[in-house]
Amino acid sequence: MDLFKEDKTGTGGGASRDLKPLADRMRPRTLDEFYGQDKIVGPGTPLRKAIESDGVGSLIFWGPPGSGKTTLAYLIAESTQGQFVPFSAATSGIKEVKAVISRAGNFFKTSGRRTYVFIDEIHRFNKAQQDAFLPYVESGEIILIGATTENPSFEVNSALLSRMRVYLLERLSESALVKITERAVSDATDGLAGMNLKVGPEALQFIAAAADGDARRALVLLENTAAFLGEKAEVTVDDLKQVHQRGAALYDKAAEEHYNLISALHKTIRDGDPDAALYWLARMLDGGEEPLYIVRRLIRFASEDVGLADPYALTVAINAREAYHFLGSPEGELAIAQAVIYLACAPKSNASYVAFGKAQTDAREKGSLPVPLHLRNAPTSLMKAFGYGKGYKYAHDFRDALTGQKNFPEQLEGTEYYRPTETGREKRIKEYLDWYKKQRQQLRQQAGADEG
C-alpha cells in the first residue's frame, strides 16, 4: 500500500511530504474523515458494515472526478488490513495480470489477508484484460475495485459486471467541500495549519462553489491561493477570484455528462419550462458544446415534440441554424436561445412522431404489400393493359377534392396512424380529419349503392 503510505507517514522526511500536492496529503485517513458520501459508506450502510466485517466483494465506484473513488478504495483495503495494489489498464497486459494474481496468492498464504486490486478508469480496460481478471474475481482470489467516470453498463463487459457491485458516488455537495477545506486549513500534520491562514465562511463557500463538486479542485484552489498570499494571510473572496479566474465546467463532449445535459435540455423544453431550458443551454455552451449540435437537437424537437400543434416551431428552429451560421459565436447563440424559449412555450404534440413510427413498423413487418392497381403509374400501353392506373379518380375533378377511393394496400385498409390532439393548430387538423372521414364514408356508401 505504498501508494498512500508515503503521503501519510512522510517517509523520506518532512520535506518530501511537503512537496506533494495538498490534495494528496489531505486524503482521508479513516472512513470518518471521508466526507460527502454518507449514502454509500456512512454508519449503518451495507458497504460500511461489509468493510467493518471484512466482507467486501469486488465492486465498481462510478462517479464524477474528485468524488473520492480512489480514496475510498484505499480506505477499504486499509480498514481490512488488506494489500492495496493499483493496476494500470493503459500500461499493463495479461502478463502483468497473472503476476498480480500470483503476488495476491502469496500474500494470502503468508498473512491470511486479502489483496485489493484497484483499477482507476476501468472503462479503459480492453476485453482481453477484463477476461483475464474474470476467473479470479469469480473465485474470490482477489477483490477487484474499479473506478470510473463513465457508465459501467456500457464500458464493462456483462460477465465481469455481473460479478461486481456498482456503487454510484455523488458529486460532492458544497457543505462537504467546506468541511474538506476547513480540515485542510486546520490540519497540522499534512495541511496548512503551519501557515496560520484566516479563511472565513464566505471564502470557504466560494471555494466550495468554484470546485464544482470536486474535492481535488477545492484543495488545489486553496493551496494555490495560500502560496500566492503567504503565511498569516487572510484569504478573501477577491483573492480566490484572482487565483481561480475561470475554471473549466464539468463537461466532456464525449462522455456521459454530455448526454445528461442534452437530455436535461430536451426534457425541460418538453415540459414547457423556458427558464430551466435556458439554464441547461447555457451550461452546454459554457462547457464548450458545438452550438450546431444543439440546433440539430432543437430541429428534431420541433418535429418530434411540437409537431403540427405549431408548425411554425420548425421554421423557428431552422432559422436559428441559419442565424448561427451567419453570425457565429457569441452573437448567434442568442438565436439559439430564442428558439429554445419558443419551443418551450409552444403547444406540444407528438402525434406525428407516433404516427410515423407506427407506419414504419407496418412497412418493416408486413413486407412488400402490393400497391393497388388504380394507384400505380401507367406510362406504357402494356402496363395499362395489365390494369395499371385503371379506375383512378383525379381528386381535382371532384367536389371538395374528395373521391372516396381506397389508398391503402388491401391488408391495411382502414388503418389509422395519425391521431391529432386538441392542442394548438393540431385542433384544426383534427376537425378537418373528422370531417374528411365522415365525407369519405358517405362517398363510399353512395358508390356502393350505385353499384348495387
Side-chain angles (χ1 to χ4, degrees):
M1 294 185 286
D2 294 339
L3 177 67
F4 287 85
K5 284 293 186 184
E6 285 187 14
D7 292 351
K8 301 305 171 190
T9 63
T11 302
S16 174
R17 186 192 69 235
D18 291 341
L19 289 175
K20 293 183 177 296
L22 179 64
D24 283 343
R25 302 200 309 268
M26 291 307 302
R27 288 186 186 274
R29 289 161 287 209
T30 67
L31 288 170
D32 291 333
E33 292 180 350
F34 187 73
Y35 301 128
Q37 303 295 347
D38 287 348
K39 292 181 181 178
I40 301 299
V41 75
T45 59
L47 180 56
R48 182 69 169 261
K49 289 181 178 179
I51 295 170
E52 292 170 346
S53 63
D54 194 12
V56 176
S58 292
L59 49 83
I60 293 175
F61 293 132
W62 170 28
S67 55
K69 300 182 293 295
T70 302
T71 298
L72 184 52
Y74 166 75
L75 288 175
I76 290 173
E78 178 79 353
S79 298
T80 59
Q81 297 184 322
Q83 179 179 217
F84 184 85
V85 180
F87 187 88
S88 171
T91 61
S92 303
I94 306 302
K95 180 180 178 181
E96 286 78 11
V97 172
K98 293 181 178 179
V100 166
I101 303 304
S102 176
R103 289 200 301 272
N106 292 334
F107 180 75
F108 183 79
K109 289 176 182 177
T110 57
S111 67
R113 298 197 299 271
R114 299 189 295 174
T115 294
Y116 296 84
V117 178
F118 175 71
I119 303 168
D120 197 12
E121 298 187 83
I122 194 172
H123 57 274
R124 298 187 185 278
F125 243 33
N126 62 43
K127 187 178 185 301
Q129 290 169 313
Q130 294 186 32
D131 289 345
F133 271 113
L134 182 59
Y136 305 109
V137 169
E138 190 170 28
S139 67
E141 291 180 56
I142 61 168
I143 304 300
L144 184 63
I145 302 181
T148 179
T149 56
E150 304 296 324
N151 189 330
S153 301
F154 305 131
E155 306 297 339
V156 180
N157 75 44
S158 57
L160 187 59
L161 188 61
S162 67
R163 291 162 176 79
M164 303 179 73
R165 179 77 180 270
V166 177
Y167 290 92
L168 178 62
L169 274 66
E170 297 177 343
R171 177 182 185 272
L172 292 179
S173 67
E174 291 189 7
S175 61
L177 289 165
V178 166
K179 289 181 181 179
I180 291 168
T181 308
E182 284 179 323
R183 176 171 165 259
V185 171
S186 61
D187 190 286
T189 304
D190 298 311
L192 302 177
M195 295 187 69
N196 294 311
L197 298 172
K198 183 178 180 182
V199 187
E202 289 186 2
L204 289 170
Q205 198 61 45
F206 179 87
I207 292 173
D212 197 19
D214 187 330
R216 191 178 298 106
R217 283 187 185 182
L219 294 174
V220 167
L221 177 55
L222 174 64
E223 184 176 29
N224 289 345
T225 306
F228 172 66
L229 296 174
E231 294 184 359
K232 300 181 180 180
E234 180 177 357
V235 178
T236 68
V237 171
D238 287 340
D239 295 326
L240 291 164
K241 286 180 178 178
Q242 186 175 355
V243 173
H244 178 60
Q245 294 181 353
R246 183 179 182 276
L250 175 62
Y251 191 77
D252 183 343
K253 288 184 282 185
E256 185 188 357
E257 194 65 5
H258 160 82
Y259 297 103
N260 287 339
L261 289 178
I262 193 60
S263 175
L265 176 63
H266 196 120
K267 289 172 181 174
T268 49
I269 297 175
R270 180 186 291 147
D271 208 39
D273 188 340
D275 298 305
L278 284 174
Y279 168 75
W280 296 120
L281 171 66
R283 279 281 303 276
M284 295 187 76
L285 292 173
D286 186 59
E289 181 57 79
E290 170 57 50
L292 288 176
Y293 167 77
I294 299 173
V295 174
R296 285 195 294 273
R297 293 299 298 253
L298 296 180
I299 290 172
R300 174 177 177 176
F301 184 94
S303 294
E304 181 177 327
D305 286 280
V306 176
L308 292 173
D310 184 356
Y312 185 64
L314 184 57
T315 301
V316 170
I318 291 174
N319 284 347
R321 181 196 64 183
E322 295 304 313
Y324 184 81
H325 265 304
F326 186 69
L327 294 173
S329 293
E331 293 86 351
E333 293 171 6
L334 181 58
I336 301 175
Q338 180 178 320
V340 165
I341 294 170
Y342 188 94
L343 292 172
C345 296
K348 309 294 191 299
S349 171
N350 70 343
S352 297
Y353 174 73
V354 171
F356 186 49
K358 291 178 179 177
Q360 287 179 308
T361 299
D362 276 351
R364 183 171 56 249
E365 295 180 356
K366 296 186 182 301
S368 302
L369 300 178
V371 176
L373 286 174
H374 67 278
L375 294 181
R376 298 187 188 188
N377 187 33
T380 69
S381 56
L382 178 62
M383 297 171 97
K384 290 177 182 178
F386 279 103
Y388 281 37
K390 182 179 181 180
Y392 170 68
K393 297 176 181 179
Y394 185 57
H396 295 291
D397 291 340
F398 295 83
R399 181 181 176 181
D400 296 321
L402 290 176
T403 66
Q405 64 189 346
K406 295 181 180 180
N407 294 319
F408 263 117
E410 185 176 347
Q411 295 90 328
L412 293 176
E413 187 60 37
T415 300
E416 291 185 3
Y417 297 126
Y418 178 54
R419 295 183 178 179
T421 68
E422 298 275 357
T423 303
R425 295 192 180 192
E426 202 165 43
K427 181 178 181 180
R428 295 174 59 185
I429 297 175
K430 184 177 185 303
E431 291 172 353
Y432 162 76
L433 284 177
D434 289 343
W435 172 84
Y436 167 79
K437 291 172 185 176
K438 184 177 180 180
Q439 294 298 313
R440 279 177 61 89
Q441 184 177 16
Q442 291 177 356
L443 288 170
R444 290 186 177 184
Q445 289 174 347
Q446 183 181 342
D450 292 342
E451 290 176 4

